[in-house]
Amino acid sequence: MIPVEIVVTGNELLQGDVLDTNTNWICRRITALGGRVERAVIVRDDMDAIVREIRSCLERSARLVITIGGMGPTQDDVTVAAVAAALHRPLALHPEALAIVRRQYEQFARDGAVDDPTITPVREKMAHVPAGAAPLENPVGAAPGVLLETDTSTVVCLPGVPAELKGIFEGALQPVLQQLFGESAFLEKLAIVNCKDESVLAPVLQAISEKHPDVYLKSRAQRFGSDVKFRVTLSTTGSSREVAEQRIVAAEEDFQRALSAIGASIEAVDAQVG
Amino acid sequence: MIPVEIVVTGNELLQGDVLDTNTNWICRRITALGGRVERAVIVRDDMDAIVREIRSCLERSARLVITIGGMGPTQDDVTVAAVAAALHRPLALHPEALAIVRRQYEQFARDGAVDDPTITPVREKMAHVPAGAAPLENPVGAAPGVLLETDTSTVVCLPGVPAELKGIFEGALQPVLQQLFGESAFLEKLAIVNCKDESVLAPVLQAISEKHPDVYLKSRAQRFGSDVKFRVTLSTTGSSREVAEQRIVAAEEDFQRALSAIGASIEAVDAQVG
């Protein structure tokens, strides 16, 4: 299972001004690809804080580290500089990144979005990447994403504007993700269980989890009520889709059996991916 | 400024099954109280991972550490045990916590939500707190919150079910928060600036930030377009509301002046709190 960590930057998130939906979006996609997001952290737009988090991800040997946000032209956008500092690499103007930024501002000028497409120092900031990194085409905004390989990890920097993040993730980043995750497959099944009390269900879940360590069983905590049914998800990530399916089927059979022993059953099953 | 850190647990969040809205809710309230959320991290329901995060918050001297999630009856809910382990305190059955759990299950039984209110070992798990901690009444669900004071920090554990989290935060936790944050006040003003290009705005924001280090200026990155106006927030946390207001007014005046020098202006201002 390929461990992934996410580092999100933005004071506006920690002030509660903006709800972070990017992390959920990325988590869903990484999970569907067969990756395992181990951890996601939001820090302020502070160089030292971001450097500390990036290093901590690398020390834990996260295979893929994704940063989100802090890539714009303003002075408080310091994520790429922090990645460079965390890896002890100089930050340098990248010709290909500069070409991307230039093309975007020329397009913005044609669209009337900016008055003048000239690459000012403030705009040029977005074309600086850590030594050895490559830019990732941003189909929506001016700031290219950044891709950087270390001996042990792949570090990817994505902008915080959701449309830009999605554009890069689904575009320029796809070949990188395909290579990283290969044939891995995530599979999730949702079982609706006619048991209204989680404390009765808990020992059953525990027994099945122990027998099927590769399958993750989770009952979703709900309100209490006489008409409550529990939603239990069974999920696994296998080296292939077939492996994942076999695991889920085996766990589901044992789960059915254990439920009937406490007078409950699975009322409905819904296969979900990602 | 009182530093606050948040530790959220839940595999379902990192799988992307559930969008975390609790962190945003807590951040908004902490900010409004005059606190400063430095960092929020989501980890899996894994004892070692949670222990590591709690210790890391305490090492950074977070004055208030809030954990969210992992407080239910199931085996994979390990947050309170992890807090105990992080602080090297034994986990013990707390009579007052047990009384809360018992009262809730009696109510659930009267409501028909459970068949039998007997406190089974699985239910009793929710009444275990670290030595020296106190339970916080949960007006909605069975699991009491946990309040724990160390020499340097206050650690609060809240359930992940949003209604339970909000119930405890707005109820039993209020006296603790009042004492912690006192007269501190956060103030935020939103200025709509008729400038369509962030790269032109950036140097102005930088100059004002340098002159008013206590005021945080943030331009919200938007799509590009000929009709774009920038939303710039000016925010500060002062030892009192008056101090905060004086700071914002001074920064806003300088901001107006600097904008007019680049041919832009503030079109509208909106005062916001939290």
Side-chain angles (χ1 to χ4, degrees), chain B residues 93 98 101 119-128:
Chain B
L93 188 64
L98 184 60
V101 174
I119 299 302
T120 58
V122 168
R123 289 170 180 174
E124 200 183 74
K125 165 179 181 281
M126 294 182 281
H128 285 75

Side-chain angles (χ1 to χ4, degrees), chain A residues 12-13 16-22, chain B residues 19-25:
Chain A
E12 70 278 18
L13 301 169
D17 289 341
V18 175
L19 173 69
D20 172 26
T21 57
N22 287 327
Chain B
L19 174 69
D20 172 27
T21 57
N22 287 327
T23 299
N24 176 261
W25 191 90

Side-chain angles (χ1 to χ4, degrees), chain A residues 205-240:
Chain A
L205 293 175
Q206 194 186 337
I208 304 302
S209 296
E210 280 167 12
K211 190 166 173 199
H212 299 271
D214 290 330
V215 176
Y216 176 61
L217 278 92
K218 175 84 184 176
S219 65
R220 202 56 54 75
Q222 311 247 336
R223 65 186 174 77
F224 284 81
S226 56
D227 57 343
V228 163
K229 287 173 184 168
F230 263 92
R231 295 159 59 89
V232 177
T233 51
L234 297 86
S235 61
T236 193
T237 300
S239 53
S240 72

Side-chain angles (χ1 to χ4, degrees), chain A residues 19-42:
Chain A
L19 173 69
D20 172 26
T21 57
N22 287 327
T23 298
N24 176 261
W25 191 90
I26 294 272
C27 284
R28 207 148 7 108
R29 267 142 197 90
I30 294 294
T31 302
L33 285 165
R36 177 179 156 108
V37 182
E38 293 289 345
R39 184 172 172 280
V41 61
I42 309 175

Side-chain angles (χ1 to χ4, degrees), chain A residues 7-12 43-54 67-87 89 91 122 125-126 128-130 143 146 155 157-160, chain B residues 198 206 216 218:
Chain A
V7 177
V8 186
T9 68
N11 295 11
E12 70 278 18
V43 283
R44 300 183 78 91
D45 299 301
D46 174 88
M47 178 68 105
D48 294 343
I50 305 172
V51 168
R52 186 189 66 224
E53 295 297 340
I54 302 282
T67 72
I68 301 177
M71 301 189 71
T74 51
Q75 192 71 9
D76 62 343
D77 281 338
V78 296
T79 302
V80 178
V83 167
L87 293 164
R89 299 195 188 190
L91 200 62
V122 168
K125 166 178 179 283
M126 294 182 281
H128 285 76
V129 306
V146 173
V155 180
C157 306
L158 300 175
Chain B
E198 196 175 23
Q206 193 187 339
Y216 175 62
K218 174 86 184 175

Side-chain angles (χ1 to χ4, degrees), chain B residues 29-93:
Chain B
R29 266 141 197 92
I30 293 294
T31 302
L33 285 165
R36 178 179 155 109
V37 182
E38 293 288 346
R39 186 172 170 279
V41 62
I42 310 175
V43 282
R44 300 184 77 91
D45 299 300
D46 173 88
M47 178 69 103
D48 294 342
I50 305 172
V51 168
R52 185 189 66 223
E53 294 297 340
I54 302 282
R55 287 199 180 138
S56 143
C57 295
L58 297 173
E59 278 159 17
R60 271 186 305 276
S61 306
R63 181 66 190 80
L64 174 62
V65 178
I66 299 177
T67 71
I68 301 177
M71 300 189 72
T74 51
Q75 192 71 9
D76 62 343
D77 281 337
V78 296
T79 303
V80 178
V83 167
L87 293 164
H88 306 286
R89 298 195 189 191
L91 200 61
L93 188 64

